Amino acid sequence: MAYDVNELFPYPKNWVNDETHTIATAVHQWADKKIINNRLEYQKAYSELFLERRRSHNLDIGFQRIIFPEEYGGSGFNTLEKTPQLVTILGELSRADAGLGFMSALEYALSAVAAMEPNVNKEVCDLIAPMLCGQELKTVSILMPGQGIKDRIDPLFMGRPISARITPAQEGYSLSGSGIRPIGNGAIADIFGVVCADPDGRPGIAYVAADSKGISRGEEIKQTGLDACLNADISFSNVHVPSGHVIMNDDAVRELYTWLNLFLGAVSVGACLNFFEILRNWADNRVIKGKGLLKNNPLCASVLAAVAEEIGLAKILVYNISNFIGRTEVWGGHENPVIFMAAQMFGKRIQQCSLNAINRGMELMASAGYAKEWHAEKHWRDVKTIQSVLCGVGAEVPVQLDIARFFYESDLD
Amino acid sequence: MKSIDDFSRPLNNVSPMERPFRKVLRRVVDDEIMPHRRKYDEDWENHEYIEPVIHKLCVGLGIQKALFPQEYGGWSLGQSDYMMALAYCIAEEVGRGDSALSLSSICSLWPVCTFLIPPLVNMDLARELAPMFTGEALCIGCQAMTEPQGGSDIENMDLIKGKTITTTARQDGDHWVINGHKLWPTNSGGIATIFGVPCTTRPGSEDPNDFAYIMVPADTEGVTQSPPYAKAGMAADKNGDIWFENARVPLSYRIHGPGKDALAFKGLIYMGQLGSVGFAVGALMNVYEILYEFASTRTFGNRLLKENDAIAGILGDIAGSIDICRVLAYEVVRLGDDRNKPWGNPIYSEETIAKSRNIKEFICDKAVDVCGKAMDILGTHGSDRAWDVEKHWRDLKMVQLWLGGKQLCQMEKARYYFNCTTL
């Protein structure tokens, strides 16, 4: 029986307007036509078709420029109340291929810090908008604080070592740091967003064009999932960064974490929705114990229920983060620490729920769960990759400490 | 400094042969598998790097002849009270380097377990097939079990009793004529030398006497293998379709005959659990080694990861889980190695199968959790193939799902412990 996967999973519809539904339907149809209904062909020529599909939605449809103000050639989705729209677009893209969603998520997260009203940063927008609102496909990579190295003392952002440093230099800063691991796209980025620290240890974000002098990339990293989002360690050797291209406050770093949790949460949920479609098809057609359909066996039905439960919860949580961010009249802006804490806390849960859903569902698919032909395993690898990179280091501990700081005023630094 | 050898195991279950054999295996793993294993994912189709290592393990170290009687050139391991301990040792030690290599090497012997482990021994067939397994050429055995229509139903012998098997064996003079379609077995995908084929002499029958297990050399006319499937991991294990179209083999290639074939086949389920726990614990021990290095060289809050109380808590749980899994794995060993003791049970007994399935399910669930958590500890390096944890994560998920998967394990346990009669 035909069904609409988006309608099956309840979410607060009053937070999503008609325009969003229209966009969602269009992207949904695009995803079905261009990718989901031609999955084998898409898999066979993955690199080539990924690029083509990415070009199609980023440039032809215009999602690459969507977040920028109209005066920069963007679509004007740079107001916080548009956040649910961005979430919806990312979810639909990721339903087709989490790699497509992931690339857009990094772009939106980095751009949002500079382009979202009421804190539009003109100088950063002047740097990145011409690239992202132009007619060429551009890729964004983000280098977050993460893991330090033994015997090295790093400046910290809420316990997380910051490997990149900026020092004042003529008309700006000099950026340095060696072998830093981005959360993705390092090998192919046109723009880097680098969380860095000044000589006083204050954190900030440097926006750097990838063709700047002094940037070198390590070898391409082979990774579990997100196959097209080629990553590489990045080194900065006295890279000149104009002072206007650095947002020098820790609120900006918190905001970047918030956007990443929201947008990457949307990506994982989107991947899960397609996994649900695959699993539902499986349960509709496979027989167990030589007789009944899988979905009609009580044990299998209980596993199927657990999968739906996890996805439903993850989807609700994503929309909740977008509500925190989007309804400034209720929650204030990013200055309110509850938003960062909620994004971290819910973001962690969204990734856990997403991975649990796929893990449980794969149990019922047995070998089809890990056969590339069925595509379930790709969603599984992609979501796990997102979950791990979001951790930074130390599994859920950094986020747990953020939560403890908020709720208990724990002194953990 | 602690090492993987500090994880617990009951020393009274350890084979006297184990110490030297483990040492040799570890050297092969460290020198010939670890440095190359990152190339294996891309080698899934051609086995350019993988095949020489399988050859080294199976022929060079003699794994492929281990079960055959000494008089036919083997080690008579099937007669040993430490057979399962040694099989586990190989699974664990090679699994530390690559669980699929371990799987491929050990599963090569899976079909011949049906007639080389007392009390179900067929010496005539052993003599006939020994030259294939004891020579210098690589002989890959493949236990061709799963069928398209019912997935792993065939493994659910207690309930289904073989009635859904569609692969048929028809006697024609002094030959069996096999027809049917199998898919997914380890060591298919074009590399098998000989198949063990569960089939039926009377389709739709629930009578165990109609269940047949017949050895079919891969070069028999009428046998066709597909190329390997693309999978999430386990590159050293090729899987594909096998078609039997009027494939004729001598009558003597049926392993025992009516009734006993079904028992021997049930024994294979135990062997599958034994191998699975070995692959899983071996991989977990390597995850421990990787985590040890990572947590001792990387920092959070300018302290080594392992010195941060909260992260240490996770590391402690991981090490504890690995230790418990290893102890449990040796309980699976004991169940098998006690098969000839007064207090033991045959490997095809309901108790042995239910308890080994129980432990396999527990260990695999834990293993997938541990690997996932380890990836998260590595954070941005967790999904990096250079650190190998993610490889184990992908591989162990497959170990968790095979052999009927989690739900079949749950059913078998419920039937055994609660005497369920209608499940």
Side-chain angles (χ1 to χ4, degrees):
Chain A
M1 199 174 86
Y3 66 96
D4 178 348
V5 68
N6 287 317
E7 289 300 312
L8 271 185
F9 289 95
Y11 64 101
K13 284 189 175 179
N14 55 321
W15 297 352
V16 180
N17 59 22
D18 289 344
E19 185 189 10
T20 306
H21 286 298
T22 309
I23 293 172
T25 305
V27 185
H28 194 89
Q29 289 168 350
W30 176 88
D32 280 343
K33 188 176 166 192
K34 295 287 186 182
I35 296 178
I36 292 172
N37 295 339
N38 303 298
R39 210 133 229 178
L40 285 179
E41 179 205 357
Y42 185 69
Q43 267 177 359
K44 274 183 194 160
Y46 186 63
S47 315
E48 195 183 311
L49 289 177
F50 180 87
L51 196 64
E52 192 185 305
R53 302 296 184 259
R54 193 171 163 237
R55 191 171 284 124
S56 157
H57 76 74
N58 265 10
L59 301 180
D60 302 344
I61 302 176
F63 287 150
Q64 184 171 284
R65 60 179 178 271
I66 196 169
I67 205 167
F68 286 93
E70 288 173 2
E71 59 266 34
Y72 285 98
S75 305
F77 276 55
N78 63 316
T79 56
L80 293 173
E81 65 268 21
K82 298 270 190 190
T83 304
Q85 272 94 319
L86 295 169
V87 164
T88 305
I89 290 167
L90 288 171
E92 290 293 349
L93 282 177
S94 307
R95 179 177 155 263
D97 184 338
L100 289 173
F102 180 82
M103 285 188 150
S104 293
L106 296 203
E107 185 214 323
Y108 294 173
L110 188 66
S111 304
V113 177
M116 278 287 173
E117 288 182 355
N119 300 316
V120 177
N121 185 310
K122 189 173 177 316
E123 284 174 279
V124 172
C125 284
D126 284 344
L127 170 73
I128 61 176
M131 289 199 253
L132 295 169
C133 298
Q135 282 311 305
E136 283 181 40
L137 203 53
K138 296 292 179 187
T139 302
V140 165
S141 177
I142 301 178
L143 294 86
M144 300 298 286
Q147 44 197 264
I149 304 286
K150 185 182 180 186
D151 298 330
R152 191 180 78 189
I153 301 297
D154 291 310
L156 304 175
F157 173 77
M158 303 183 85
R160 300 160 174 88
I162 302 174
S163 301
R165 314 291 168 84
I166 49 168
T167 48
Q170 202 173 15
E171 295 174 16
Y173 295 100
S174 172
L175 174 67
S176 295
S178 178
I180 307 172
R181 175 70 49 96
I183 60 175
N185 300 341
I188 48 173
D190 300 290
I191 302 164
F192 290 110
V194 188
V195 173
C196 49
D198 70 7
D200 296 328
R202 286 187 309 147
I205 306 170
Y207 289 74
V208 189
D211 57 3
S212 304
K213 194 176 164 194
I215 296 179
S216 58
R217 306 180 203 232
E219 278 181 29
E220 207 172 272
I221 295 161
K222 288 180 177 161
Q223 54 186 22
T224 309
L226 302 173
D227 298 345
C229 311
L230 304 175
N231 207 3
D233 289 340
I234 308 297
S235 296
F236 303 93
S237 174
N238 298 316
V239 176
H240 174 71
V241 187
S243 55
H245 294 176
V246 179
I247 303 177
M248 208 58 228
N249 66 62
D250 52 4
D251 278 348
V253 181
R254 263 190 283 274
E255 186 182 340
L256 183 55
Y257 270 109
T258 300
W259 289 118
L260 280 172
N261 274 298
L262 173 67
F263 292 145
L264 292 178
V267 171
S268 292
V269 170
C272 279
L273 288 175
N274 185 239
F275 174 77
F276 171 85
E277 294 171 293
I278 294 167
L279 182 65
R280 186 168 147 146
N281 178 32
W282 180 262
D284 273 344
N285 290 289
R286 300 300 290 195
V287 167
I288 187 170
K289 294 196 214 172
K291 42 188 181 189
L293 289 176
L294 215 63
K295 67 178 184 180
N296 296 332
N297 171 279
L299 175 62
C300 298
S302 68
V303 178
L304 292 167
V307 172
E309 212 175 294
E310 296 281 8
I311 298 172
L313 180 58
K315 189 174 172 186
I316 290 275
L317 291 178
V318 170
Y319 277 96
N320 267 284
I321 301 178
S322 77
N323 181 267
F324 282 124
I325 297 170
R327 298 190 63 189
T328 47
E329 75 280 12
V330 179
W331 297 105
H334 284 282
E335 305 76 44
N336 185 349
V338 75
I339 293 181
F340 169 74
M341 183 282 302
Q344 293 284 81
M345 183 167 71
F346 294 164
K348 171 170 78 84
R349 255 307 174 214
I350 290 163
Q351 299 304 332
Q352 286 171 348
C353 289
S354 301
L355 197 71
N356 285 346
I358 302 179
N359 262 324
R360 294 302 315 272
M362 284 172 82
E363 287 171 10
L364 293 181
M365 296 181 70
S367 45
Y370 52 79
K372 294 207 168 180
E373 181 188 347
W374 278 84
H375 206 76
E377 64 85 38
K378 182 179 184 303
H379 291 311
W380 173 66
R381 289 185 291 111
D382 288 346
V383 169
K384 182 66 199 175
T385 303
I386 292 170
Q387 184 188 37
S388 293
V389 297
L390 261 181
C391 287
V393 77
E396 67 268 29
V397 168
V399 171
Q400 284 174 331
L401 301 187
D402 294 338
I403 297 167
R405 279 188 198 94
F406 179 86
F407 284 103
Y408 302 99
E409 298 176 352
S410 303
D411 184 6
L412 297 161
D413 296 321
Chain B
M1 194 176 101
K2 295 287 187 294
S3 76
I4 51 173
D5 293 319
D6 291 300
F7 286 111
S8 305
R9 60 189 175 140
L11 294 175
N12 53 321
N13 279 2
V14 174
S15 157
M17 271 176 75
E18 179 171 324
R19 185 187 287 259
F21 201 65
R22 196 180 270 279
K23 203 171 163 186
V24 171
L25 284 169
R26 189 162 299 178
R27 197 164 57 232
V28 171
V29 169
D30 286 341
D31 296 347
E32 299 182 41
I33 296 178
M34 296 286 201
H36 305 292
R37 63 181 172 177
R38 282 169 211 148
K39 297 178 202 154
Y40 293 170
D41 267 318
E42 280 70 34
D43 196 30
W44 66 276
E45 220 168 354
N46 298 325
H47 276 197
E48 181 188 343
Y49 300 102
I50 293 166
E51 200 267 351
V53 189
I54 295 178
H55 193 284
K56 170 78 179 236
L57 293 166
C58 291
V59 181
L61 298 188
I63 291 174
Q64 75 179 27
K65 63 182 171 189
L67 286 177
F68 281 83
Q70 280 180 318
E71 58 265 43
Y72 304 137
W75 300 351
S76 292
L77 192 62
Q79 315 287 328
S80 165
D81 282 349
Y82 292 105
M83 178 201 157
M84 306 307 172
L86 202 63
Y88 173 80
C89 163
I90 297 168
E92 182 190 272
E93 202 62 46
V94 181
R96 175 178 153 259
D98 186 289
S99 24
L101 263 179
S102 189
L103 167 71
S104 185
S105 311
I106 289 187
C107 270
S108 211
L109 288 176
W110 208 11
V112 299
C113 286
T114 55
F115 60 89
L116 293 174
I117 302 176
L120 297 172
V121 173
N122 180 338
M123 287 300 269
D124 292 336
L125 190 54
R127 185 175 57 248
E128 191 150 359
L129 297 183
M132 290 175 85
F133 284 87
T134 57
E136 289 305 305
L138 181 61
C139 176
I140 302 280
C142 170
Q143 131 89 339
M145 183 158 58
T146 304
E147 298 194 342
Q149 75 291 343
S152 301
D153 271 350
I154 192 168
E155 290 148 57
N156 197 351
M157 282 296 280
D158 284 333
L159 177 77
I160 310 284
K161 301 181 194 306
K163 75 177 174 190
T164 62
I165 299 174
T166 58
T167 300
T168 59
R170 175 175 54 82
Q171 191 174 342
D172 181 20
D174 53 1
H175 283 79
W176 289 107
V177 180
I178 317 287
N179 279 285
H181 179 196
K182 301 284 189 176
L183 36 82
W184 272 108
T186 282
N187 288 340
S188 51
I191 59 165
T193 317
I194 187 165
F195 296 103
V197 186
C199 47
T200 179
T201 55
R202 198 157 64 94
S205 169
E206 292 188 13
D207 183 347
N209 290 321
D210 295 322
F211 177 91
Y213 193 96
I214 298 174
M215 302 301 293
V216 182
D219 59 3
T220 304
E221 195 179 336
V223 177
T224 314
Q225 297 185 61
S226 76
Y229 310 138
K231 302 173 299 182
M234 287 262 174
D237 168 30
K238 285 193 184 186
N239 312 114
D241 291 64
I242 309 134
W243 293 272
F244 301 96
E245 291 173 275
N246 295 318
R248 297 173 69 86
V249 294
L251 290 182
S252 60
Y253 278 32
R254 180 169 183 177
I255 53 168
H256 300 292
K260 283 187 175 178
D261 281 11
L263 284 181
F265 177 69
K266 283 179 73 173
L268 288 186
I269 304 299
Y270 162 79
M271 297 301 297
Q273 315 304 329
L274 176 74
S276 300
V277 297
F279 310 143
V281 173
L284 285 178
M285 289 166 75
N286 187 229
V287 168
Y288 162 79
E289 294 174 292
I290 296 165
L291 271 181
Y292 195 110
E293 182 195 341
F294 192 85
S296 302
T297 54
R298 306 295 168 124
T299 65
F300 175 78
N302 287 326
R303 301 184 71 171
L304 290 178
L305 296 184
K306 67 178 186 179
E307 304 298 343
N308 175 292
D309 295 47
I311 297 170
I314 300 174
L315 293 171
D317 284 346
I318 287 176
S321 294
I322 297 172
D323 203 50
I324 291 167
C325 285
R326 197 178 197 213
V327 171
L328 286 174
Y330 269 95
E331 175 60 10
V332 179
V333 168
R334 190 200 64 76
L335 284 168
D337 276 341
D338 281 357
R339 66 194 178 282
N340 297 321
K341 306 266 172 45
W343 58 87
N345 292 295
I347 57 172
Y348 50 76
S349 71
E350 193 188 357
E351 179 178 339
T352 299
I353 291 174
K355 289 186 172 174
S356 60
R357 271 207 198 272
N358 179 31
I359 295 172
K360 182 258 184 184
E361 185 202 347
F362 182 90
I363 290 178
C364 287
D365 286 355
K366 213 38 133 176
V368 171
D369 278 353
V370 163
C371 287
K373 190 63 80 183
M375 283 177 73
D376 293 345
I377 287 176
L378 268 66
T380 46
H381 289 68
S383 55
D384 181 347
R385 278 167 53 185
W387 280 89
D388 297 313
V389 174
E390 67 84 41
K391 166 198 164 44
H392 291 307
W393 175 75
R394 285 183 286 129
D395 290 350
L396 294 185
K397 184 70 188 173
M398 296 168 69
V399 181
Q400 183 193 40
L401 295 183
W402 69 36
L403 281 169
K406 187 176 175 67
Q407 281 67 45
L408 181 55
C409 286
Q410 290 175 309
M411 289 297 96
E412 295 254 7
K413 288 185 297 184
R415 263 187 223 117
Y416 178 76
Y417 287 104
F418 288 91
N419 297 316
C420 304
T421 54
T422 64
L423 288 180

